[in-house]
Amino acid sequence: MRRAHFPRNQRWLGQRGAVFVVLMGLGAGVGLAIAAAQAGSFSWLTGMNWQAWLSIAVTLMAFLGNALTPLPAEIVFLGAAAVLFLTGVLDEKTALSGFSNSGMITVAVLYIVVTGLQQTGALVWVSQQVLGMPKTESRALVRLMLPVMGISAFLNNTPVVAMFIPVVDDWCRKLRFSPSKLMLPLSYAAIFGGLFTLIGTSTNLVVNGLLMDATQGPGLKLLDIAWVGIPCGMVGFVFLLVAQRWLLPERKAALSDTDDLRQYTVEMRVVPESPIVGKSIEKAGLRHLPHLYLAEVRRGDQLLPAIGPQQVLQGDDQLLFVGVVDSILDLQRIRGLEPATDQVFKLEEPRTDRCLIEAVVSNTCPLIGQTIRESRFRSQYNAVVVAVARNGDRLMGKIGDIRLDPGDTLLLEASPSFVRERRISRDFYLVSSIPNSEPMRHDRSPWAFGFTLAMVIVAALGWMSMLQAATLAAIGMLVLGCCSPRQAIRSIEWSVLLVIGAALALGAALESTGAAAAIAHRVIALAGDNPWLVLAALYAVTTVLTEVITNNAAAALIFPISLALAKQLNVSDLPFVIAIMIAASASFATPIGYQTNLMVYGPGGYKFTDFLRIGVPLNLIYGIVTVAITPLVYPF
């Protein structure tokens, strides 16, 4: 079903309508809840006060508002928490306690750590080295999923998937595979790996933070969840390997190879003593870049127009490429390549503070008819031309020798302030920055690896809490220049943190009003006194909620219920805590249940039913394995 496109005023009315529906629903839910409590309805939950009923009603309306309206999840959950605060169900301290939860703060700090790894090229280097060029889709699945599972075990899986999406997209084009065959396994592999360690996913950290607050204890160790998470991941991996041929669709992504793409001409230089010196063009990773053509190699005064894949690179080689802007960004990230013009090193701002900017030359630009070298572009605009595109034509020769024409699109390296200063200039028709185009800090990659490794080791050995270890790594990344403060702040997913904090407030309301204990009593009545059946019921409820709302919200809301269940059954709460961690993250059946699923939805060209077809069996497999193994590892 195609989504209708409405004018801006109609979309605005639709958003206002969604807000009105949620508010009316909240009001109706509150009224019904109070009336039911006063009338003694729902006898199985008698004895609850109006605050408990209100907490249940508001929570249910938050579920429905998140699932049925286009409002962002953070707006829905913050609104629900605000209702409970304004009605007096939550006092000020409890309402805000979720935003000081150690798990939530750890999630925020880990975003900075991953940014340091990304900006130094460490993760890109890992992805390029391990993927290779497999011949079949099954081998590609293995080459992709195993390293992603390993990386996601120690890094938050959301930024890992964000980093791998363009890599996998380019990889699929090189291999001539449909992206839909690998994008969904990418998301699932990150979910699998995120359940191998305590720091693999934000849900684990949130649940562990709740456990520490409830028990006033040290919480779980780094590998406590691995005894259940690794068997689940291995079974899930085998299932995908066997079933992908029949259950994964064959579709093209939104952008296909036949789309009209602007062709830039860019000149790069091989840095002497760089890692690619002495390697062939193919082994240096310059042969199979999508939508990119190596037109010529200039070596001193010698021109090598016929370039074979086995041509060995030497220091100071000048490489002329023709390709699209995304591939130009890939070139900028390859360690050992730099723009051929020395003008980029003469700009006033440090390279790490610059970005790439597209600017279209206007017919009133005073530089028209001049070569880029003659125009003294750097002196005029404090920017350097690194690539030129002209109506799809393939421009040959050195960048400095290209004469500017009206309508030429220039790819510039400059300070971000260039966009603000030149946006209204008559010299350019259009000026826009390219996201995530800051030059890589390759010289800092050893530090980035070192801090990440130190974070993992000290957390695994229990020398520091996860928050302390992550904070130490993040400070190290910033102090030693692995990423800039601006990049670090920009990388934090504030909407995710707001959802976590607000959901924790709803969970606190369910617990403090006695609603969680009452619901737990009903679940026990349905499941009996057998803790295995109660564990299965708890897992099933958490899984269903995770598929409808966010995983962190589901975990935060179910956690107090699990503690009440364990207390009433007089058993250990640890099996229930582990089951919540697994169930809240093992979201495979819908694109909205987990953020990484939503991230691959568009690039993979998927439909909603694709997730159901392969995700529902995977959910059942995870549930069976978790319920079977958890009590054996952590007895009741």
Side-chain angles (χ1 to χ4, degrees), residues 431-447:
V431 179
S432 61
S433 60
I434 298 176
N436 302 317
S437 61
E438 296 87 354
M440 303 296 264
R441 308 174 183 223
H442 293 294
D443 59 320
R444 300 296 178 182
S445 59
W447 287 110

Side-chain angles (χ1 to χ4, degrees), residues 156-209:
N156 189 275
N157 45 23
T158 299
V160 169
V161 170
M163 185 273 297
F164 265 94
I165 283 176
V167 174
V168 172
D169 186 54
D170 293 343
W171 195 44
C172 288
R173 281 185 256 176
K174 296 175 188 176
L175 299 175
R176 301 296 188 266
F177 293 161
S178 171
S180 60
K181 288 291 186 180
L182 293 176
M183 285 294 180
L184 201 51
L186 167 63
S187 175
Y188 288 173
I191 295 173
F192 293 171
L195 293 171
F196 289 177
T197 68
L198 184 64
I199 63 174
T201 175
S202 60
T203 307
N204 297 348
L205 295 169
V206 169
V207 174
N208 189 55

Side-chain angles (χ1 to χ4, degrees), residues 402-462:
I402 296 176
R403 292 190 179 275
L404 295 176
D405 287 348
D408 284 352
T409 303
L410 308 180
L411 192 63
L412 310 175
E413 183 173 315
S415 167
S417 61
F418 181 94
V419 176
R420 182 177 63 256
E421 296 168 356
R422 300 294 175 178
R423 182 165 285 166
I424 59 175
S425 171
R426 297 182 60 189
D427 296 350
F428 304 103
Y429 286 130
L430 178 67
V431 179
S432 61
S433 60
I434 298 176
N436 302 317
S437 61
E438 296 87 354
M440 303 296 264
R441 308 174 183 223
H442 293 294
D443 59 320
R444 300 296 178 182
S445 59
W447 287 110
F449 268 122
F451 282 120
T452 304
L453 183 62
M455 177 188 73
V456 173
I457 291 175
V458 298
L461 297 178

